Amino acid sequence: MIAKLAQRLKQLRLEKDLRQDQLAKLVHVEKSSISMYENDVRQPSYEVLIRYAEVFNVSVDYLLGRTTDRSLDLSGLTAAEIALISELVDSMSAKNRKLEDMRK
């Protein structure tokens, strides 16, 4: 199993002050799955891993422990590619604002 993944998933959830059930709704899995991921009992699918990266605005490489950099390197991308990434970040930010509103 990938222990660093489990550690980072839990760390990011706690940094966002999310309960496991709240995160489960955001990544479209059961609460029990979140617990299994964080305890290194089960690995998330590629799709769930990508959703985690989107929710926490980090790269999949960061989640997997391949880098300590949380942000993405956009060098070498075209203007259109950067625009697409910006749209994605805006969408994720809107989702996070909704989450903040839910907690209030």
Side-chain angles (χ1 to χ4, degrees):
M1 296 288 182
I2 305 173
K4 190 157 270 193
L5 172 63
Q7 295 166 353
R8 290 201 169 162
L9 294 177
K10 185 171 184 176
Q11 172 194 358
L12 290 166
R13 179 179 60 79
L14 294 174
E15 285 176 9
K16 288 277 192 177
D17 197 28
L18 293 171
R19 296 185 316 263
Q20 287 182 341
D21 62 312
Q22 292 171 317
L23 180 57
K25 288 179 185 176
L26 290 173
V27 296
H28 310 291
V29 297
E30 297 295 322
K31 178 186 178 261
S32 60
S33 294
I34 299 295
S35 177
M36 287 188 279
Y37 302 153
E38 291 182 1
N39 289 299
D40 202 25
V41 173
R42 183 174 159 196
Q43 299 287 314
S45 68
Y46 295 130
E47 293 82 10
V48 172
L49 195 61
I50 290 168
R51 283 188 227 130
Y52 260 106
E54 290 171 348
V55 166
F56 293 120
N57 197 25
V58 297
S59 69
V60 172
D61 279 345
Y62 175 78
L63 292 175
L64 295 174
R66 293 177 42 95
T67 181
T68 57
D69 297 330
R70 289 187 178 197
S71 60
L72 300 172
D73 179 7
L74 301 179
S75 61
L77 299 181
T78 66
E81 292 166 336
I82 292 171
L84 285 172
I85 291 170
S86 294
E87 287 177 34
L88 180 60
V89 169
D90 290 343
S91 172
M92 288 184 280
S93 295
K95 184 189 319 179
N96 288 339
R97 283 191 297 276
K98 287 180 186 178
L99 175 64
E100 289 294 324
D101 292 342
M102 285 175 38
R103 285 192 280 166
K104 291 179 183 178

